[in-house]
Amino acid sequence: MSNRRQSLLILIVYFIIYALPSVLTAAFQNLGSQVFLIQTLDYLIGAVVLLWLATRSPKSNQIESQPQSWLKVLFWSIAGLVVAIVGQLVILQITQWLGYSTASTNTTTLLTVGQKYPFFFLAIFVGAPIMEEIVFRKVLFGNFTPMLGTVGAALIASLLFSFAHADGHIVLYACLGLWFCWLYRHTGRIQTSMFAHILMNALIVVQVFLH
């Protein structure tokens, strides 16, 4: 499978996975809380499908031409988590100083659902980050880099990543997106940004349980 065909197929499958719970809710209005189980399974199955599709091309993209060792991937995944958390705290503090709300509607809604239906946390810190890294980093950042250069591709992929969350915190999510792009490019392995993203979301979930 060519890189272009692979990327297009990944995007199509991602949009189907993303839209499916809403479509089913509209079609079957009596689903009730079952929609959260459907969404969880949808995201987990979607993550597996996208992972499989992401391995179908025999030719690596420009970013993956010189992958680093798995030991460095592990190191940068953990370092990536630390920088992502600290960066979020700094950006939220600046946001508060400027007089804007630091509340995240998207995060609050997801965590509220997760507290009521714990299985939903699997969608938050497993399914969603795996799919987002494949789509926004491997596919978008990876495909835009040869055309726009590293910086241009990272900016566009990160802005799209931010808009996809529809949370109002455009700068916060864009900065996270840029950082995940850097991790991916620095190590040449999508697993680095993927692990950092999963760990970040998992840490947020753990904090909810501790409180």
Side-chain angles (χ1 to χ4, degrees), residues 3-13 139:
N3 282 358
R4 183 174 297 181
R5 183 182 175 188
Q6 174 200 44
S7 298
L8 181 60
L9 187 56
I10 286 174
L11 290 175
I12 291 173
V13 172
V139 172

Side-chain angles (χ1 to χ4, degrees), residues 24-25 28-38 117:
L24 291 177
T25 300
F28 305 98
Q29 298 181 2
N30 61 341
L31 284 176
S33 61
Q34 292 180 348
V35 70
F36 301 119
L37 177 59
I38 292 172
Y117 308 103

Side-chain angles (χ1 to χ4, degrees), residues 52-101:
W52 179 78
L53 288 173
T55 64
R56 290 302 89 196
S57 176
K59 184 179 180 182
S60 300
N61 62 31
Q62 180 178 321
I63 296 169
E64 299 173 350
S65 59
Q66 294 181 316
Q68 294 189 12
S69 69
W70 288 107
L71 184 60
K72 289 185 178 180
V73 168
L74 177 61
F75 170 80
W76 281 109
S77 296
I78 297 173
L81 166 67
V82 174
V83 172
I85 295 298
V86 173
Q88 285 186 80
L89 293 175
V90 170
I91 292 172
L92 289 174
Q93 185 62 61
I94 294 173
T95 300
Q96 190 174 34
W97 285 341
L98 293 175
Y100 295 101
S101 173

Side-chain angles (χ1 to χ4, degrees), residues 120-141:
F120 186 71
F121 283 130
L122 290 173
I124 297 175
F125 71 82
V126 178
I130 289 175
M131 292 193 294
E132 287 172 355
E133 290 310 308
I134 291 174
V135 170
F136 294 100
R137 254 61 70 182
K138 185 176 177 65
V139 172
L140 296 182
F141 178 50

Side-chain angles (χ1 to χ4, degrees), residues 182-199:
W182 187 89
L183 290 173
Y184 176 32
R185 181 179 180 275
H186 182 67
T187 61
R189 293 187 187 273
I190 191 61
Q191 290 87 348
T192 312
S193 59
M194 194 179 289
F195 290 157
H197 197 160
I198 289 171
L199 290 172

